[in-house]
Amino acid sequence: MAPAPSPRRRWPRRLAALLAAFVVLNLVALVGASWYYSDRIESDALRAVPGAWDRPFTVSAVDPAAGTISLSPVAGSPGLAWQERDLTGIAMVEGLHWEGGFALSQGTDSDPGPSVLRQARLTEGTWPAVGAPIGAHTFAHPHGITTPWQQVTFPGPEGPLEAAFQPGTGATWLVAAHGKGAEPNEFSRMAPVAVGLGMPTLAIRYRGDVDSPPADNGRVGFGSTEWPDLDAAVRYAVAHGAEHVVLMGASMGGAIVASYLRHAKDTSVVTAVVLDSPALSLQRTVEWGAAQIAFPGGLSLPAPVTWGAERLTSWRFGLDWHATDYVSDTRWADRPTLVFHGDADTTVPIATSREFAAADPQVTLIETPGAEHVASWNVDPMRYENALRDFLAPFASTS
């Protein structure tokens, strides 16, 4: 009968077993967390979801004579976190919308308390009643394609696409692509400058939008799948008198502009580009979002989880990260380009715009202190419009 192993011989085996169990448990936790964050990437970044005009407040008081509205937050309402942040953060211009009316609001609430008090100027409809649901939006314009915009339709590669159009007297058109979850009226803030220079302005819808052909597999491509729709819009503009085109893209719309310039067969009609908070690297944008996820105790999402989630996203959803990277190779940016980006952007990292500007002498970057995502105009409309006007004027041909 063999002698029993001595205690001294048992402890290395036990230690090895404990280490192996520890490694396996950590691998399981890493894969599980990465799978979960991969789901978040798909739902938050990739899934094509039409823009929502949430109304997460109720009107607690309204004074038409003084032009003030008090908003009380409704706990748990969609959109409450970011709307409350915008309303009580840095002073800026926003739109307030409710059923039957719209107002422009400027400033910020110095003492939020249980409600938010805003100065407001009624621009459409009638003042709201106390208790009415109300929301805020940086677009500063009513929902949908409304006056002074005209609704037009142009032929896209997957079917008809709508666009908002404002006529002009010149031969240079501004053609604009909005961001993910936004709409053509995102450009209601910028269009008056272009129209004032005589530039016909076309703000397009693309696949995945409301009343548009569906997005590929129900997911956006950050330009890799949408650029043919922009190409169709440019051809529509040329067919209707455009001799030159200036492209404008906001957020994911910036990625669509970049992908169009990278892939389209002939982009010679495009003389200049304007980008606002452009998503020039989906991977960097995802990593920026991951870095801001906070856990109890001040812990952030571990880098290995983000790394694993990115690989799982490629495998599960067929995402090509390289195809959505427009900052590592900027050869597509071969014409004058103006970029606006807020240095408080928590959605798209301003670092990518800084690298883009540093890599190309034709790129001018204007940073807006304190501005969130695509909110540079809202924080300082005069500075934004003057810079945009100065940039566009040399390209706004009148013949």
Side-chain angles (χ1 to χ4, degrees):
M1 182 175 181
S6 69
R8 291 181 179 178
R9 292 179 181 176
R10 291 194 189 111
W11 76 262
R13 296 177 183 175
R14 290 175 178 173
L15 179 60
L18 286 172
L19 287 173
F22 177 79
V23 169
V24 169
L25 287 173
N26 275 272
L27 284 174
V28 169
L30 174 62
V31 171
S34 297
W35 191 279
Y36 165 78
Y37 195 57
S38 175
D39 282 338
R40 284 280 303 272
I41 292 172
E42 194 276 336
S43 63
D44 296 352
L46 300 182
R47 192 175 302 169
V49 179
W53 281 57
D54 299 318
R55 293 171 179 162
F57 303 91
T58 58
V59 177
S60 53
V62 58
D63 187 342
T68 60
I69 300 179
S70 292
L71 293 70
S72 296
V74 179
S77 296
L80 177 59
W82 65 265
Q83 290 192 35
E84 197 166 34
R85 175 203 68 196
D86 288 350
L87 288 169
T88 59
I90 189 170
M92 63 179 180
V93 179
E94 290 191 83
L96 300 179
H97 55 95
W98 58 90
E99 189 67 32
F102 192 91
L104 274 181
S105 173
Q106 189 165 3
T108 186
D109 188 26
S110 58
D111 183 19
S115 64
V116 179
L117 176 66
R118 299 287 289 189
Q119 291 288 329
R121 176 171 60 86
L122 187 68
T123 61
E124 186 173 292
T126 57
W127 290 95
V130 171
I134 188 170
H137 214 295
T138 55
F139 291 2
H141 196 272
H143 175 62
I145 299 176
T146 58
T147 305
W149 296 100
Q150 304 171 8
Q151 182 170 300
V152 299
T153 302
F154 65 96
E158 301 297 326
L161 289 164
E162 292 180 356
F165 177 67
Q166 290 195 46
T169 58
T172 299
W173 286 39
L174 180 71
V175 179
H178 64 74
K180 179 181 181 290
E183 294 188 337
N185 64 336
E186 180 165 29
F187 298 101
S188 62
R189 299 164 292 177
M190 303 84 167
V193 171
V195 174
L197 292 169
M199 300 174 66
T201 300
L202 187 74
I204 71 168
R205 295 191 188 275
Y206 47 81
R207 64 192 65 190
D209 275 355
V210 175
D211 298 325
S212 301
D216 298 4
N217 298 314
R219 302 185 186 99
V220 299
F222 278 80
S224 63
T225 54
E226 296 87 1
W227 73 263
D229 299 337
L230 179 57
D231 186 38
V234 171
R235 286 187 277 109
Y236 172 88
V238 171
H240 288 77
E243 296 177 9
H244 306 286
V245 167
V246 175
L247 295 178
M248 187 169 192
S251 191
M252 192 185 90
I256 295 173
V257 169
S259 191
Y260 161 80
L261 292 173
R262 175 179 286 174
H263 295 293
K265 291 182 180 179
D266 183 6
T267 63
S268 59
V269 72
V270 179
T271 55
V273 173
V274 181
L275 304 175
D276 195 325
S277 309
L280 296 177
S281 170
L282 176 57
Q283 186 170 12
R284 297 274 295 277
T285 298
V286 165
E287 291 169 355
W288 178 239
Q292 296 174 78
I293 296 177
F295 294 96
L299 298 175
S300 58
L301 191 69
V305 172
T306 307
W307 182 89
E310 291 171 350
R311 273 73 198 161
L312 282 171
T313 300
S314 295
W315 173 64
R316 295 174 65 194
F317 308 118
L319 177 63
D320 181 352
W321 294 100
H322 177 73
T324 59
D325 177 4
Y326 308 101
V327 75
S328 296
D329 180 0
T330 61
R331 285 177 292 179
W332 57 270
D334 57 354
R335 61 212 79 199
T337 301
L338 177 64
V339 181
F340 295 96
H341 210 135
D343 68 3
D345 193 332
T346 56
T347 301
V348 173
I350 193 173
T352 53
S353 287
R354 289 170 176 165
E355 291 175 23
F356 177 49
D360 193 323
Q362 293 195 85
V363 177
T364 299
L365 171 62
I366 296 179
E367 299 188 20
T368 305
E372 252 287 357
H373 190 53
V374 200
S376 290
W377 179 91
N378 304 79
V379 169
D380 195 341
M382 184 176 295
R383 177 175 182 251
Y384 190 106
E385 291 174 8
N386 287 340
L388 182 60
R389 186 179 295 106
D390 290 345
F391 178 78
L392 291 178
F395 305 103
S397 59
T398 56
S399 60

